[in-house]
Amino acid sequence: MEFGDSASLEAATDALKNARLNREEALRNLAPYSEAAAEILAADEARSAEVEKIMERMRAEDQRRSAERKKQMEEKMKQVWLEGFKRLSPEQQRTFLEMFPELKELLLNED
């Protein structure tokens, strides 16, 4: 497999996923008859649950950071618009606000 070969990587990923599913199915089938299989299955399920908790925390953190970045970008864009608006003459400002009345509150209500 050559580095960057996405088709081969996808095939390998699918093969690994299928192998894990087959292993899980085999353990589930053996667990009623084998204490060792039941223990392995229980350990796998515990690891899977822990991984899911970690992934959920990572997703939540990613969403929080994404929302924070979005808010920062919105604030930066507001500042850019406000600075540009302030550079206009009073007559240009009035004309601009007449053309775009929905921006009046955004531009004139500085935090």
Side-chain angles (χ1 to χ4, degrees):
M1 177 169 72
E2 195 173 304
F3 182 73
D5 185 352
S6 63
S8 295
L9 183 58
E10 186 176 335
T13 302
D14 288 343
L16 181 59
K17 180 181 175 184
N18 289 335
R20 285 183 182 152
L21 291 173
N22 289 339
R23 179 179 185 270
E24 181 182 349
E25 182 181 358
L27 286 170
R28 287 193 187 286
N29 290 337
L30 288 172
Y33 310 105
S34 166
E35 187 175 321
E39 289 173 1
I40 294 169
L41 182 61
D44 284 357
E45 289 173 342
R47 276 192 300 276
S48 291
E50 186 60 30
V51 167
E52 186 56 37
K53 286 179 190 176
I54 291 168
M55 293 299 293
E56 187 56 38
R57 284 194 301 266
M58 290 172 66
R59 282 188 287 270
E61 179 64 20
D62 185 51
Q63 288 175 346
R64 185 194 63 75
R65 282 193 311 263
S66 185
E68 189 176 293
R69 283 191 301 270
K70 180 180 177 187
K71 183 178 178 183
Q72 289 172 350
M73 288 299 296
E74 288 171 350
E75 287 298 316
K76 183 67 175 169
M77 289 304 298
K78 180 180 177 181
Q79 289 300 318
V80 168
W81 275 95
L82 187 57
E83 290 301 318
F85 181 76
K86 287 179 178 178
R87 291 186 182 125
L88 298 173
S89 69
E91 182 180 309
Q92 289 172 320
Q93 288 178 0
R94 279 191 299 278
T95 301
F96 184 80
L97 292 175
E98 287 172 4
M99 290 173 59
F100 304 101
E102 64 276 6
L103 296 177
K104 186 174 187 173
E105 185 176 323
L106 175 71
L107 293 172
L108 299 179
N109 292 333
E110 294 182 60
D111 292 334

